[in-house]
Amino acid sequence: MVGFFISKTSWTRLGRLMPWIIFSTPFAVISYFLIWFVPDISRGQVLWYLIFYCIFQTLVTCFHVPYSALTMFISREQSERDSATAYRMTVEVLGTVLGTAIQGQIVGKVNTPCIKSPLFISTANSSVAMEELNMTHETGSLTDTRNAYMIAAGVIGGLYILCALILSVGVREKRESSELRSDKPVSFFLFTSLAFMLLEGNFALFCTYTLGFRNEFQNILLAIMLSATLTIPLWQWFLTRFGKKTAVYVGISSAIPFLIMVAVLDSNLIITYIVAVAAGISVAAAFLLPWSMLPDVIDDFKLQHPESQGHEAIFFSFYVFFTKFTSGVSLGISTLSLDFAGYQTRGCSQPSEVNFTLKMLVSAVPVGLILLGLLLFKLYPIDEEKRKKNKKALQDLREESNSSSESDNTELASIV
């Protein structure tokens, strides 16, 4: 819906996309802060979080779709758009590292108590134990945890505003970049995104319970994201040198051995950090490559449908939609699977069934989804040869359009 409305938005002094970014930012920050606020109400808290979480996700979509679509409005050249995408994804991963560090360090300083020996507590007694534990720490640890989350939300909200200001001041849309007068299969995006979403959504629990690194999770995550940040330029060089399809096969599939290794090997902190750094290389490819390929799909669509204009935001909105869709599917699969396995909320340890389920969710299932996605990727028709042909065809159309425009101007001048 957001992509459709953006495509129907008239050009303004700020452009077509930038007003969406500017006006959605303050409301997104407010809704994000309210997600982490604990209302002083005895009933209706679930409704509170449901409402503000949905509002926040909607506003983030209003920001993210035009933000990602800006790639098509800053240059006509494929190489320049690829370079801009590489810079964008590098800064995005850096932002993820910064957000992870802020959230982790602020919240991590507060020690939230866990429930010991959940296996020896019945369901009824477990509820009583949880209630007594909450009452015992109400004025201490839990209150400090609430405050820590709100402080972290405030800091991240401030960074959100700062980044939006830098974007609005530093980037200018070029209307002519998209004014040249796919139905291409991108199903692999869906499965590879779901694979990495499952890994991302369950990694904290996997580190905490299966590997036993409760206090090291934030540092392991930082190692992954820093590795991803540093290797994005490497993948940008690789796709330029060997082509994007080859980069996808090499980059995405390189995650498979590390996903298997982390589940098969015994818990070892040093090995876990090594695997984390290596996995960050694949994460960088997963961040960069789909966004780098999307402009090529749009170019191909333009050549096949030259009469169709202004649909760039719709293409980007579909990718954002599939990313959010896989996030929701991942959350549902993870929650149901862990619930069936007997997961104990805030438990100091978990049953063996939960540890096995976590291994499946961060290893076997993502590996299967990656393989399925790469198999479907064989249907993707835009290889390097076709991409170069499209580039030349677009240049020819632009030169023809410019020549026609100059001829019309000359004829009009002669008439005058």
Side-chain angles (χ1 to χ4, degrees), residues 196-346:
F196 283 97
M197 287 291 179
L198 280 170
L199 177 62
E200 176 186 325
N202 294 283
F203 189 70
L205 296 177
F206 179 75
C207 285
T208 300
Y209 296 114
T210 305
L211 298 181
F213 301 139
R214 178 183 294 271
N215 297 324
E216 292 290 332
F217 160 66
Q218 297 292 345
N219 295 327
I220 294 172
L221 185 59
L222 281 175
I224 294 175
M225 301 313 296
L226 283 173
S227 173
T229 303
L230 295 175
T231 52
I232 282 180
L234 170 66
W235 286 117
Q236 174 63 21
W237 170 83
F238 190 95
L239 68 86
T240 303
R241 178 69 176 81
F242 299 101
K244 296 180 182 179
K245 289 196 73 170
T246 303
V248 167
Y249 282 119
V250 174
I252 303 297
S253 62
S254 64
I256 294 177
F258 302 111
L259 293 176
I260 296 174
M261 190 183 304
V262 76
V264 173
L265 296 179
D266 293 332
S267 176
N268 183 291
L269 186 59
I270 296 177
I271 293 179
T272 302
Y273 271 109
I274 294 174
V275 171
V277 172
I281 300 174
S282 298
V283 171
F287 267 107
L288 173 64
L289 295 174
W291 290 112
S292 180
M293 296 166 66
L294 196 52
D296 298 337
V297 176
I298 298 174
D299 285 344
D300 194 66
F301 178 85
K302 286 181 177 180
L303 287 173
Q304 294 189 35
H305 308 276
E307 74 286 349
S308 182
Q309 301 179 22
H311 296 318
E312 294 85 358
I314 295 180
F315 277 88
F316 281 90
S317 68
F318 266 104
Y319 184 66
V320 173
F321 166 77
F322 279 115
T323 302
K324 289 180 178 289
F325 177 74
T326 54
S327 178
V329 172
S330 169
L331 184 61
I333 293 174
S334 302
T335 303
L336 291 174
S337 300
L338 291 172
D339 184 57
F340 289 144
Y343 175 77
Q344 296 286 335
T345 303
R346 285 174 58 194

Side-chain angles (χ1 to χ4, degrees), residues 17-223:
L17 306 176
M18 203 61 71
W20 285 80
I21 294 173
I22 294 173
F23 291 114
S24 66
T25 294
F27 300 105
V29 170
I30 293 172
S31 61
Y32 177 76
F33 182 81
L34 291 176
I35 290 174
W36 301 102
F37 176 75
V38 181
D40 188 17
I41 53 178
S42 58
R43 306 175 71 178
Q45 284 191 347
V46 172
L47 185 61
W48 170 282
Y49 292 117
L50 178 63
I51 290 174
F52 283 108
Y53 185 78
C54 290
I55 291 174
F56 172 69
Q57 288 292 345
T58 302
L59 291 168
V60 166
T61 300
C62 293
F63 181 100
H64 199 219
V65 170
Y67 158 73
S68 56
L70 271 173
T71 305
M72 298 298 299
F73 289 82
I74 58 179
S75 176
R76 289 178 170 177
E77 293 297 325
Q78 291 181 354
S79 59
E80 292 180 355
R81 294 199 303 248
D82 289 344
S83 178
T85 300
Y87 278 107
R88 177 170 74 86
M89 298 315 302
T90 301
V91 176
E92 274 197 31
V93 178
L94 275 174
T96 305
V97 171
L98 185 60
T100 302
I102 292 172
Q103 186 89 356
Q105 297 305 314
I106 294 177
V107 178
K109 292 183 180 298
V110 181
N111 183 25
T112 304
C114 62
I115 303 174
K116 296 182 179 180
S117 303
L119 294 176
F120 303 102
I121 301 176
S122 66
T123 304
N125 291 336
S126 178
S127 300
V128 173
M130 176 75 78
E131 183 177 352
E132 290 177 351
L133 186 61
N134 287 345
M135 292 176 63
T136 301
H137 295 84
E138 182 66 28
T139 58
S141 180
L142 292 181
T143 301
D144 293 339
T145 302
R146 290 176 180 175
N147 293 335
Y149 275 112
M150 290 179 62
I151 292 171
V155 174
I156 292 176
L159 288 174
Y160 193 124
I161 294 174
L162 176 62
C163 292
L165 287 174
I166 293 174
L167 177 66
S168 60
V169 172
V171 178
R172 286 289 178 268
E173 295 178 52
K174 295 180 179 179
R175 184 171 184 174
E176 64 275 8
S177 294
S178 63
E179 293 249 317
L180 174 68
R181 348 275 173 231
S182 167
D183 47 0
K184 298 302 177 188
V186 290
S187 305
F188 102 99
F189 287 150
L190 177 65
F191 293 101
T192 54
S193 294
L194 181 56
F196 283 97
M197 287 291 179
L198 280 170
L199 177 62
E200 176 186 325
N202 294 283
F203 189 70
L205 296 177
F206 179 75
C207 285
T208 300
Y209 296 114
T210 305
L211 298 181
F213 301 139
R214 178 183 294 271
N215 297 324
E216 292 290 332
F217 160 66
Q218 297 292 345
N219 295 327
I220 294 172
L221 185 59
L222 281 175

